[in-house]
């Protein structure tokens, strides 16, 4: 054992040194990138100055030709507008531009800047209008909205059912993905269904595939709806499920991501018991990290994750405060926390309370009953 520990220390020292070298390389690359950005910015600023100083040596002549090479186009067709005034999209047309009095050669630089700024502002307003038009399909009509509401209710019911119902819910959401892929409440439920399938299946490759696909779905949702507690919550869950098939280093790294998104979910929706349950699980697992995991975390990260059994207990008790009987597994963890803290009477009480709650699936029931029996044996021995 001493020889093994010495070798592990040697490996960890090498990892620590490698980490320092990577940090130095990263710092060098960031410095190089900053220099490149500074050079490009300087070049662009110089180009803009030259453009502003540019003068027209000859007065501009009015042109009624529809073949003008003006940079102003209508928003709707993308071709030069032949009518005076403003186009339907709000852009100024070439002919309207040519209706002003002939420009003097002594036109001030400030005047040109004002025209340029006004043009940019007009283009920005019109571009925002175009973006809003592109996003118009996100607003459902009454019939589609009613259909979405019924679909989500059915998905929630199947999610809370047994394994077969979870499979039906997953297939139901997949069948409707084309119609509702731009809806937030649909996307996070689709990610949740992937998580359900990951839990149900026995094959390791399938578990990994479901977790990976679900993570991709929820990443798309997070890009659009960063203020959704459910999106952050299920992103954390799927990251955790995917990390079960990764190395120790990847699992520790995912732990940081998991904690970050659960904290965000609690910030956005502080009364959701599910988030506190997940945070309690994270705290409990961190408090029970093994020697190798702690050493690896210390070598790879400047601030290794820290949490205590007391932290885990507070989160699990918060779950019971918000929703008594929310989770059978949650009560089992409360019993485990009390056992670890040496309060055996409270542990037995919560273990009995856990046995009174039903489990959602046979698989969950089997796992929870094993935890209950194991904990009771430990309490009797204590």
């Amino acid at each position: 054992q001493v020889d093994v520990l010495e070798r592990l220390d040697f490996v960890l020292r090498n990892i620590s040194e490698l980490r320092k070298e990577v940090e130095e390389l990263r710092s060098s690359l960031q410095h190089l990138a900053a220099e490149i950005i500074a050079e490009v910015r300087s070049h662009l600023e110089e180009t803009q100055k030259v453009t502003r100083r540019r003068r027209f040596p000859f007065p501009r002549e009015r042109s009624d030709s529809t073949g003008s090479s003006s940079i102003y186009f209508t928003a709707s067709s993308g071709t030069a507008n032949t009518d005076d005034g403003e186009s339907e999209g709000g852009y100024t047309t070439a002919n309207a531009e040519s209706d002003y009095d002939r420009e003097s050669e002594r036109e001030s630089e400030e005047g040109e800047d004002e025209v340029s700024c006004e043009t940019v502002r007009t283009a920005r307003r019109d571009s925002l209008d175009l973006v809003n038009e592109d996003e118009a399909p996100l607003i459902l009509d009454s019939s589609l909205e009613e259909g979405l509401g019924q679909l989500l209710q059915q998905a929630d019911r199947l999610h809370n059912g047994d394994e077969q119902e979870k499979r039906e819910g997953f297939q139901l959401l997949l069948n409707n993905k084309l119609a509702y892929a731009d809806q937030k409440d649909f996307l996070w439920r689709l990610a949740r269904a992937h998580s359900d399938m990951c839990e149900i299946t026995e094959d390791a490759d399938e578990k990994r595939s479901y977790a990976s696909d679900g993570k991709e779905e929820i990443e798309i949702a997070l890009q659009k709806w960063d203020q959704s507690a459910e999106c952050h919550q299920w992103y954390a869950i799927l990251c955790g499920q995917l990390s079960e098939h990764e190395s120790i280093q990847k699992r520790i790294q995912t732990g940081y991501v998991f904690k970050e998104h659960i904290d965000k979910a609690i910030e956005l929706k502080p009364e959701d018991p599910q988030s506190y349950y997940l945070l309690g699980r994270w705290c409990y697992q961190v408090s029970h990290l093994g020697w190798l995991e702690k050493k690896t975390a210390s070598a790879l990260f400047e601030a290794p994750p820290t949490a205590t059994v007391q932290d885990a207990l507070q989160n699990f008790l918060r779950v019971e405060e918000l929703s008594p009987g929310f989770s059978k597994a949650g009560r089992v963890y409360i019993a485990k926390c009390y056992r670890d803290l040496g309060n055996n009477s409270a542990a037995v009480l919560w273990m009995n309370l856990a046995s009174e709650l039903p489990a959602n699936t046979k698989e969950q029931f089997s796992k929870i009953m094993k935890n209950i029996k194991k904990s009771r044996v430990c309490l009797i021995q204590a």
Side-chain angles (χ1 to χ4, degrees), residues 148 151 170-183 186-187 190-191 194 213-214 216-218 220:
L148 177 61
L151 174 66
F170 175 70
Q171 192 60 48
L172 173 69
L173 292 172
L174 280 185
N175 293 342
N176 288 273
K177 181 179 178 180
L178 186 61
Y180 301 109
D182 289 329
Q183 300 301 311
F186 176 87
L187 276 180
L190 179 59
H194 278 87
D213 292 345
E216 291 180 3
E217 296 287 356
I218 203 65
I220 296 173

Side-chain angles (χ1 to χ4, degrees), residues 68-205:
S68 172
S69 59
S70 170
I71 62 170
Y72 299 95
F73 299 93
T74 61
S76 57
S77 64
T79 57
N81 195 350
T82 59
D83 297 329
D84 292 339
E86 288 192 352
S87 67
E88 294 179 359
Y91 290 108
T92 306
T93 62
N95 292 338
E97 177 71 14
S98 63
D99 282 338
Y100 63 82
D101 294 333
R102 294 188 177 183
E103 182 181 7
S104 172
E105 293 181 8
R106 296 186 301 273
E107 181 181 6
S108 68
E109 192 170 314
E110 290 78 5
E112 289 186 6
D113 288 342
E114 290 178 0
V115 173
S116 300
C117 292
E118 182 60 31
T119 303
V120 171
R121 284 195 293 269
T122 303
R124 284 181 178 174
R125 285 196 300 268
D126 292 334
S127 64
L128 289 175
D129 292 340
L130 291 175
V131 170
N132 290 334
E133 290 176 2
D134 293 339
E135 293 178 352
L138 296 177
I139 303 175
L140 301 177
D141 58 32
S142 57
S143 59
L144 286 176
E145 186 175 358
E146 182 180 356
L148 177 61
Q150 295 175 354
L151 174 66
L152 298 183
Q153 290 180 3
Q154 187 177 0
D156 291 340
R157 179 181 61 80
L158 294 172
H159 165 71
N160 294 321
D162 57 22
E163 293 184 4
Q164 182 57 36
E165 288 176 315
K166 289 180 186 294
R167 289 190 176 93
E168 292 176 4
F170 175 70
Q171 192 60 48
L172 173 69
L173 292 172
L174 280 185
N175 293 342
N176 288 273
K177 181 179 178 180
L178 186 61
Y180 301 109
D182 289 329
Q183 300 301 311
K184 175 191 67 177
D185 293 332
F186 176 87
L187 276 180
W188 71 255
R189 282 175 171 85
L190 179 59
R192 181 184 66 182
H194 278 87
S195 175
D196 289 340
M197 295 301 295
C198 180
E199 290 289 338
I200 291 172
T201 186
E202 298 291 340
D203 184 76
D205 291 337

Side-chain angles (χ1 to χ4, degrees), residues 40-53:
V40 172
R41 183 176 296 147
S42 175
H43 176 72
L44 289 176
E45 290 176 352
E46 186 64 27
T47 303
Q48 291 174 355
K49 289 179 181 178
V50 172
T51 302
R52 284 198 296 268
R53 294 193 184 101

Side-chain angles (χ1 to χ4, degrees), residues 159-325:
H159 165 71
N160 294 321
D162 57 22
E163 293 184 4
Q164 182 57 36
E165 288 176 315
K166 289 180 186 294
R167 289 190 176 93
E168 292 176 4
F170 175 70
Q171 192 60 48
L172 173 69
L173 292 172
L174 280 185
N175 293 342
N176 288 273
K177 181 179 178 180
L178 186 61
Y180 301 109
D182 289 329
Q183 300 301 311
K184 175 191 67 177
D185 293 332
F186 176 87
L187 276 180
W188 71 255
R189 282 175 171 85
L190 179 59
R192 181 184 66 182
H194 278 87
S195 175
D196 289 340
M197 295 301 295
C198 180
E199 290 289 338
I200 291 172
T201 186
E202 298 291 340
D203 184 76
D205 291 337
E206 289 185 5
K207 283 181 175 290
R208 183 186 182 91
S209 177
Y210 281 124
S212 178
D213 292 345
K215 182 183 175 184
E216 291 180 3
E217 296 287 356
I218 203 65
E219 280 177 342
I220 296 173
L222 272 177
Q223 291 175 1
K224 297 181 179 180
W225 301 286
D226 183 57
Q227 298 302 307
S228 169
E230 291 81 7
C231 289
H232 284 282
Q233 187 181 96
W234 286 102
Y235 181 80
I237 293 172
L238 286 159
C239 283
Q241 290 176 322
L242 188 59
S243 70
E244 294 177 3
H245 309 279
E246 305 288 351
S247 62
I248 292 178
Q249 177 183 350
K250 189 66 175 178
R251 289 201 300 270
I252 295 174
Q253 185 177 2
T254 302
Y256 289 93
V257 177
F258 183 95
K259 177 69 161 48
E260 176 187 351
H261 285 274
I262 290 300
D263 286 343
K264 184 65 175 179
I266 291 176
E267 176 187 340
L268 294 171
K269 197 172 182 180
E271 303 301 318
D272 186 359
Q274 175 77 359
S275 294
Y276 289 98
Y277 169 76
L278 294 169
L279 183 57
R281 288 284 301 270
W282 183 88
C283 291
Y284 190 84
Q285 291 180 3
V286 169
S287 68
H288 286 75
L289 286 177
W291 177 88
L292 179 59
E293 292 169 320
K294 290 180 180 178
K295 285 288 187 180
T296 304
S298 300
L300 295 175
F301 304 98
E302 294 181 359
T306 57
T308 64
V309 175
Q310 187 66 40
D311 295 332
L313 178 60
Q314 293 302 318
N315 283 291
F316 289 128
L317 291 176
R318 177 64 173 159
V319 173
E320 286 292 321
E321 178 184 343
L322 292 172
S323 178

